[in-house]
Amino acid sequence: MATASQGSRRSPRRIPALTVAVAAAMLLAGCTSEGATGPRPSTVHGTTAAPTMTAVPEAAQCVTHQDLGRDAGVDLPFKDLLQGRVARGVDVNDAFTPGPDARDAGSCGAVLPGGDDVWCGQPAPWASLGWDQFTIASGATRVRRVGVSTDEGRSSSGGQVSRSLSYVELELGGADPKGVADFVRRAFQRCAHGTAAQVQGLSAVTGEVPSMVGGVHEADAFAFLTSKRVAWVILDGRPWTPAERKRALAAIAGHLRQG
C-alpha cells in the first residue's frame, strides 16, 4: 500500500507534441524572415565586414611613341631622296623617346643581346626586341623610323613597279653608354654578311638582306656609324640602279653630317 506522502506526489506535466512543433516553426520563420530582409551579423566579429579596394599600380611609362604623319608632303629627315617625277608614299614615320620612368631598371630594364644571340631570321637590327624595348636597350635619346615606297607604274607584264626604303636612326647625344654602335656593326656583319666601308665619306657596313618583296632575292643594306648617330637603311623593291642608290645614300649621309 502506498503511503500518504507517496500518494501526494504529482507526475510531471507533458507538453503536447503539437505545441513543440508550432514553437519550432515560429522560430524557424523568424530566422528566415531576418535573412530575407537584411544581412545577418558576422558570427566572428559581430559586425558586417566592409568591402576592401586593392590599389592597382600605374604602368611604368618607359617609352613615348609619336606618329609624325604619313601624308605625301610630310617632312622627312632627309631631302631629295627620290627623283621628283616619282610618286612617293610614306608608309612609316614615327619616333620613340625614353619616357619619364625609363631609368627605372626594375620596370623598364632592357639590354641588347650578345654578339652570338642575334637572330638573323627577323628584320634589322636582329635584336629580338620590340621598338619600345630596343629604345631603352640602345641608350638612344631618340629612335626615328621612316619607310618610303614609290609608285612607278606598271611593268610590261602588268605588275606594279615600286621601290621601298626603310630607314632607322638612333640619336646618341654625343655618347654611346650601351654600346649600340658596336652592336649594330656586329649584327650587320653577321646577318647582312656586311663588310666595313666608307659610304659618302662616312664609316659604314655594307651588305645584303633577303628582300621583303616577292621576285627580288636580295636587298641592299647599309649601316652608318657616326659619333652622334647610328643609322641603317634597306633599299628594297625592284633593283635600284647605281644612280638611284647613290642619290639615296648621298641624301642620308648629308642628313647624318648635320648637327
Side-chain angles (χ1 to χ4, degrees), residues 40-84:
R40 289 189 293 175
S42 168
T43 58
V44 177
H45 300 290
T47 57
T48 302
T52 58
M53 299 293 291
T54 302
V56 178
E58 295 184 2
Q61 300 180 39
C62 302
V63 173
T64 299
H65 177 221
Q66 182 181 10
D67 192 325
L68 302 176
R70 303 185 187 185
D71 296 334
V74 72
D75 185 32
L76 297 178
F78 27 65
K79 306 297 182 182
D80 300 325
L81 186 65
L82 305 167
Q83 57 266 42

Side-chain angles (χ1 to χ4, degrees), residues 2-208:
T3 62
S5 60
Q6 290 176 329
S8 63
R9 293 179 182 174
R10 305 176 64 179
S11 300
R13 185 177 180 183
R14 296 180 178 275
I15 301 175
L18 179 60
T19 303
V20 175
V22 171
M26 292 178 65
L27 179 61
L28 178 61
C31 294
T32 304
S33 174
E34 181 183 358
T37 57
R40 289 189 293 175
S42 168
T43 58
V44 177
H45 300 290
T47 57
T48 302
T52 58
M53 299 293 291
T54 302
V56 178
E58 295 184 2
Q61 300 180 39
C62 302
V63 173
T64 299
H65 177 221
Q66 182 181 10
D67 192 325
L68 302 176
R70 303 185 187 185
D71 296 334
V74 72
D75 185 32
L76 297 178
F78 27 65
K79 306 297 182 182
D80 300 325
L81 186 65
L82 305 167
Q83 57 266 42
R85 68 177 182 272
V86 174
R88 182 190 72 182
V90 179
D91 305 310
V92 177
N93 184 27
D94 59 5
F96 300 83
T97 55
D101 300 321
R103 295 182 180 275
D104 184 352
S107 300
C108 303
V111 296
L112 295 170
D116 296 332
D117 296 331
V118 293
W119 175 43
C120 298
Q122 60 186 315
W126 309 284
S128 298
L129 297 172
W131 286 107
D132 284 12
Q133 293 177 307
F134 183 77
T135 300
I136 297 296
S138 68
T141 58
R142 189 170 189 249
V143 176
R144 177 75 184 271
R145 296 192 305 167
V146 173
V148 179
S149 59
T150 66
D151 181 1
E152 302 176 23
R154 299 284 176 176
S155 66
S156 57
S157 61
Q160 182 179 7
V161 178
S162 176
R163 286 173 292 152
S164 65
L165 177 149
S166 299
Y167 176 80
V168 177
E169 176 186 309
L170 314 180
E171 294 182 11
L172 302 180
D176 187 6
K178 303 293 184 67
V180 68
D182 184 61
F183 168 78
V184 170
R185 176 184 59 79
R186 289 185 288 108
F188 266 76
Q189 287 175 340
R190 179 170 181 174
C191 294
H193 309 290
T195 57
Q198 289 284 316
V199 177
Q200 296 292 320
L202 297 179
S203 297
V205 178
T206 65
E208 293 181 333

Side-chain angles (χ1 to χ4, degrees), residues 206-232:
T206 65
E208 293 181 333
V209 296
S211 171
M212 299 297 291
V213 181
V216 180
H217 298 291
E218 299 293 334
D220 295 325
F222 303 85
F224 294 90
L225 311 172
T226 74
S227 59
K228 296 182 179 180
R229 298 174 182 173
V230 171
W232 61 86

